[in-house]
Amino acid sequence: MAASEKVKTFNELFKQRLNRQHVLSLSACAHCGMCNDSCHYFLADGDPKMTPAAKADRIRSVYKGFYDWIGKFVPFWVGARKIQTDGDLEELKDVFFGSCTGCRRCTLNCPFGVDMAAIVGLTRSCLVDVGVAPEGVLTVMKDQWETGNQMAITPEDYIETLEWLEEETQMELDDPDFKVPIDKEGADFVYVINPREIKYAPLSLQAAFKIFHVAGLDWTMGSSGWDNTNFGLFSGKPDLGGHMSNLAYNHAKKLGVKRLVVSECGHGLRSTKWEGPNWGKANPLPFEIISILELMVDLINSGKIILDPHKNTDPVTYHDPCNLSRSGGMTEEPRFCLKRACIDFREMTPNRSDSYCCTGGGGAMSMSEYSKRRLSVSKMKAEQIERTEAASVATACHNCVDGLTDVIKHNDLKYDFGNGKPKLLPVKNVCEYVADAIVIPKELPERKPRVREKVRQGKILVVDDQPDVVTYLEALLQDTGYDVVTAFDGAEGIQTAKDEQPDLITLDVTMPGKSGVSVFNELRSTPGVDKIPVFIVTGDIDFRQLMYQRTVEAPEGFMQKPINEDVFLMTVDRLLETSRHERELTHEPS
Ligand code: SF4
Ligand code: SF4
Ligand code: SF4
């Protein structure tokens, strides 16, 4: 689209999409400044361009240019302007994608009811439709349209991971009868999840499965419509919102379930429960939609699960995801669960609907071009966490888990677990604390300490420029039975992959010479090594561009340094096992 066409289309779309709510928010601001101290972007260093009103003014001025009669004739008088160039559009993109997470903390503090999220949604939707949006957002939207999930996970990989989790949970519970039901018709509920749980963070799924099993619930996973995330919300596009919601609703209807339970995802619950029925014109729905948080409260209250808080003794704090607390009013359920699952629960202040954003909202985690800015304004959240002196952070949103993990690393927030070597605070979902605290009832076999009896076979290539990391990973993998080959830079890594044909590659992102990102892209486009699964192990947040701004298939696994040995080995096992199964299915030689 030529520049003038883009601008023309943007202006047309802006006028067409303006509704009453937008008009109220665009015309009501008195520039009183009462919301300034709400915004973490402004509070970080007091930049006046980062106040909510100043950001909204970038599009408010366009509104005045069209609809304010003084603005039409004497634009400078009321700060009215027209969008005239591609540069103007880029500037809007920078403000409305890169400088606001739509967390609505300012809205809560505005006496005039200016809804920043509505202004952001309108502007983003017009920008997206002229192709002026972060690459990661456009890629994820395309994947949701085309594959039904935001990480383009294939049906085979999805089922494969569920089967792998079934085995892991059988092992954890020492119960070979544990099953992950798929498409069980007439079950009480279907569980919809964040694709991140399948692709990169299966521990929260395993925790949920354990809870369902111990409570004796009648549940199922769906083979389709299982992604509860919805980039219709982040892009301001109700058509995509309706498409994703209807995928979930239609599958739940087909299965004839009574309830649809949404995993811990702030915007997932908001989209599926509150916005989706309108976007998808799906009302009335023949089933109830609830969060796993509500389900867990019910299970604890009814005695279907018994928790022993002495199993979680380190101090824990809780981050309120904006979409649950400010936009959904769900503040007490997670606290109810955590206070019963942990012996030392500590509030961070401010909390509930007044909590600061984790910095990763509004799709920010998929916009790696703004990562540095995102972390440069993470001070408020970091200070909140630090003041609690907690050993870990719980939150009920997968997006927040990633956002907070970056905040903790950037601000070096550590806890000394007693060995004199402080470690970065882990961030986990609420269901993980609950699952850890569960008392296994007598009817079920008693849980034994987890024993890894798997035969570990396979050749792993470790690529990292830090010799001590290579030595450490080599020893860890060899001690558990794997063959290991190593490389210390990108070029050597590619050559070793070609020569040695490993079963898996662990790859650092920050290396001198060829970066891990270009090594990864080269591996993916080189016949002979393009199918080898890649596990990104890095200390650099730029790895997220491989997940979201992908031109080739995303890496199969990732982990942020410092390395958690258990999770590292579990991921290696999972990736090798799933790629072996895939090869068996496609009859490729192993
Ligand atoms: S509090 Fe409301 S009226 Fe005051 S500057 Fe902020 S958005 Fe404008
Ligand atoms: S919605 Fe959140 S990030 Fe955006 S201006 Fe308001 S307080 Fe700041
Ligand atoms: S990422 Fe988390 S804290 Fe940030 S806006 Fe979303 S729900 Fe809120």
Side-chain angles (χ1 to χ4, degrees):
M1 197 183 283
S4 57
E5 256 180 79
K6 268 189 195 177
V7 168
K8 206 170 126 207
T9 309
F10 178 89
N11 285 325
E12 284 307 314
L13 290 173
F14 179 77
K15 284 192 273 187
Q16 278 167 22
R17 291 178 184 170
L18 204 61
N19 63 26
R20 200 168 150 267
Q21 188 191 18
H22 301 135
V23 171
L24 280 175
S25 291
L26 287 167
S27 56
C29 180
H31 293 87
C32 65
M34 283 177 70
C35 61
N36 290 357
D37 288 347
S38 307
C39 183
H40 57 288
Y41 283 92
F42 172 70
L43 287 170
D45 60 7
D47 180 352
K49 290 200 292 301
M50 288 293 155
T51 63
K55 287 183 269 191
D57 279 352
R58 305 312 301 159
I59 194 73
R60 185 172 284 124
S61 56
V62 178
Y63 166 76
K64 285 184 178 172
F66 284 125
Y67 295 105
D68 185 308
W69 68 269
I70 303 179
K72 278 187 197 170
F73 301 108
V74 210
F76 69 90
W77 196 260
V78 288
R81 66 166 181 156
K82 291 245 161 62
I83 295 294
Q84 287 171 326
T85 65
D86 274 8
D88 292 340
L89 293 177
E90 287 295 331
E91 184 208 310
L92 286 180
K93 171 184 149 191
D94 189 73
V95 173
F96 289 96
F97 283 101
S99 308
C100 175
T101 58
C103 74
R104 300 182 75 238
R105 194 165 189 268
C106 53
T107 300
L108 209 74
N109 291 300
C110 174
F112 298 90
V114 171
D115 187 345
M116 188 65 176
I119 296 174
V120 171
L122 168 67
T123 314
R124 284 189 179 190
S125 78
C126 301
L127 287 170
V128 162
D129 280 348
V130 294
V132 182
E135 202 52 46
V137 172
L138 296 174
T139 306
V140 171
M141 289 177 70
K142 180 170 161 286
D143 284 341
Q144 287 208 317
W145 274 116
E146 290 176 1
T147 69
N149 73 82
Q150 61 148 292
M151 291 190 169
I153 296 168
T154 63
E156 294 76 25
D157 282 350
Y158 171 73
I159 299 292
E160 193 71 57
T161 306
L162 290 182
E163 285 171 359
W164 177 82
L165 274 167
E166 182 175 277
E167 284 171 27
E168 286 291 309
T169 314
Q170 284 173 353
M171 204 161 73
E172 185 188 354
L173 294 169
D174 194 26
D175 182 356
D177 294 334
F178 170 78
K179 292 279 174 263
V180 175
I182 298 170
D183 286 346
K184 181 179 173 198
E185 290 188 15
D188 176 43
F189 69 86
V190 62
Y191 189 49
V192 293
I193 59 174
N194 185 316
R196 177 186 176 279
E197 298 181 82
I198 288 286
K199 186 103 185 168
Y200 298 118
L203 288 180
S204 57
L205 259 185
Q206 194 176 338
F209 293 170
K210 180 178 171 185
I211 294 167
F212 300 163
H213 183 63
V214 171
L217 303 183
D218 179 16
W219 62 288
T220 187
M221 299 296 291
S223 63
S224 121
W226 52 266
D227 177 1
N228 70 27
T229 69
N230 199 321
F231 265 57
L233 189 71
F234 297 150
S235 61
K237 298 285 294 168
D239 52 348
L240 177 58
H243 169 70
M244 289 304 293
S245 304
N246 278 329
L247 284 179
Y249 301 156
N250 290 340
H251 201 69
K253 282 184 204 163
K254 191 172 148 201
L255 295 177
V257 293
K258 296 182 195 66
R259 298 188 288 177
L260 187 148
V261 177
V262 182
S263 77
E264 290 176 54
C265 180
H267 94 268
L269 187 70
R270 181 171 158 201
S271 310
T272 313
K273 182 165 178 161
W274 293 296
E275 314 277 2
N278 296 325
W279 286 333
K281 300 184 177 43
N283 274 322
L285 289 168
F287 47 79
E288 190 189 2
I289 299 175
I290 61 165
S291 159
I292 187 177
L293 296 167
E294 295 165 281
L295 180 74
M296 288 191 295
V297 169
D298 190 40
L299 296 178
I300 296 168
N301 271 335
S302 61
K304 287 192 177 152
I305 54 173
I306 309 287
L307 303 185
D308 176 3
H310 292 92
K311 294 186 176 188
N312 288 317
T313 50
D314 292 322
V316 179
T317 188
Y318 177 69
H319 160 76
D320 283 281
C322 312
N323 276 312
L324 289 183
S325 57
R326 258 193 291 286
S327 299
M330 194 168 290
T331 55
E332 303 316 307
E333 291 83 349
R335 288 176 169 78
F336 178 94
C337 296
L338 288 168
K339 284 177 185 171
R340 279 150 189 84
C342 310
I343 213 157
D344 184 356
F345 173 75
R346 301 176 179 188
E347 285 287 6
M348 63 173 87
T349 312
N351 56 50
R352 295 178 168 81
S353 61
D354 204 24
S355 176
Y356 287 103
C357 178
C358 70
T359 75
M365 302 310 292
S366 63
M367 309 173 200
S368 58
E369 58 269 62
Y370 301 124
S371 298
K372 292 200 170 53
R373 185 186 299 163
R374 174 167 64 81
L375 290 173
S376 73
V377 299
S378 62
K379 190 177 84 172
M380 303 308 297
K381 193 78 241 173
E383 286 175 359
Q384 265 195 297
I385 297 171
E386 196 168 27
R387 280 196 299 270
T388 66
E389 296 183 7
S392 68
V393 183
T395 188
C397 172
H398 282 278
N399 205 39
C400 297
V401 170
D402 283 343
L404 293 170
T405 302
D406 285 357
V407 169
I408 286 167
K409 190 168 171 65
H410 182 76
N411 293 279
D412 201 30
L413 303 182
K414 289 184 170 160
Y415 185 82
D416 187 345
F417 287 87
N419 60 0
K421 291 184 187 161
K423 286 168 90 172
L424 291 173
L425 308 188
V427 187
K428 297 193 287 185
N429 286 113
V430 177
C431 67
E432 293 177 63
Y433 293 90
V434 170
D436 284 344
I438 270 189
V439 178
I440 304 292
K442 292 212 168 49
E443 307 85 77
L444 289 175
E446 266 193 37
R447 179 182 169 184
K448 292 180 185 162
R450 189 184 166 107
V451 187
R452 292 199 165 270
E453 288 163 359
K454 295 184 170 181
V455 184
R456 287 180 156 129
Q457 283 176 339
K459 190 195 289 178
I460 299 172
L461 166 60
V462 175
V463 187
D464 201 304
D465 65 311
Q466 290 176 278
D468 52 336
V469 174
V470 174
T471 309
Y472 166 65
L473 291 181
E474 187 178 22
L476 183 64
L477 290 164
Q478 280 174 342
D479 284 354
T480 46
Y482 291 117
D483 293 329
V484 181
V485 284
T486 58
F488 294 86
D489 62 43
E492 189 189 356
I494 292 170
Q495 193 53 50
T496 312
K498 287 180 188 166
D499 296 343
E500 295 282 342
Q501 292 292 311
D503 300 296
L504 175 74
I505 300 169
T506 75
L507 178 63
D508 184 19
V509 166
T510 322
M511 292 187 289
K514 257 189 215 288
S515 76
V517 172
S518 52
V519 173
F520 173 75
N521 286 327
E522 199 170 326
L523 284 169
R524 278 290 202 251
S525 43
T526 305
V529 291
D530 54 337
K531 300 278 188 306
I532 301 174
V534 178
F535 179 11
I536 301 288
V537 182
T538 180
D540 188 331
I541 53 164
D542 278 351
F543 73 90
R544 290 197 202 282
Q545 67 178 274
L546 296 174
M547 291 162 65
Y548 294 107
Q549 285 165 243
R550 49 188 182 268
T551 48
V552 291
E553 199 186 325
E556 281 73 12
F558 84 81
M559 165 177 270
Q560 276 188 279
K561 291 174 184 167
I563 292 158
N564 174 321
E565 287 184 10
D566 285 343
V567 179
F568 176 80
L569 288 173
M570 191 177 175
T571 308
V572 168
D573 290 347
R574 177 170 65 85
L575 298 183
L576 284 173
E577 211 164 299
T578 45
S579 92
R580 242 175 243 136
H581 280 202
E582 264 168 38
R583 279 203 302 265
E584 279 163 21
L585 288 175
T586 52
H587 306 295
E588 276 182 36
S590 54

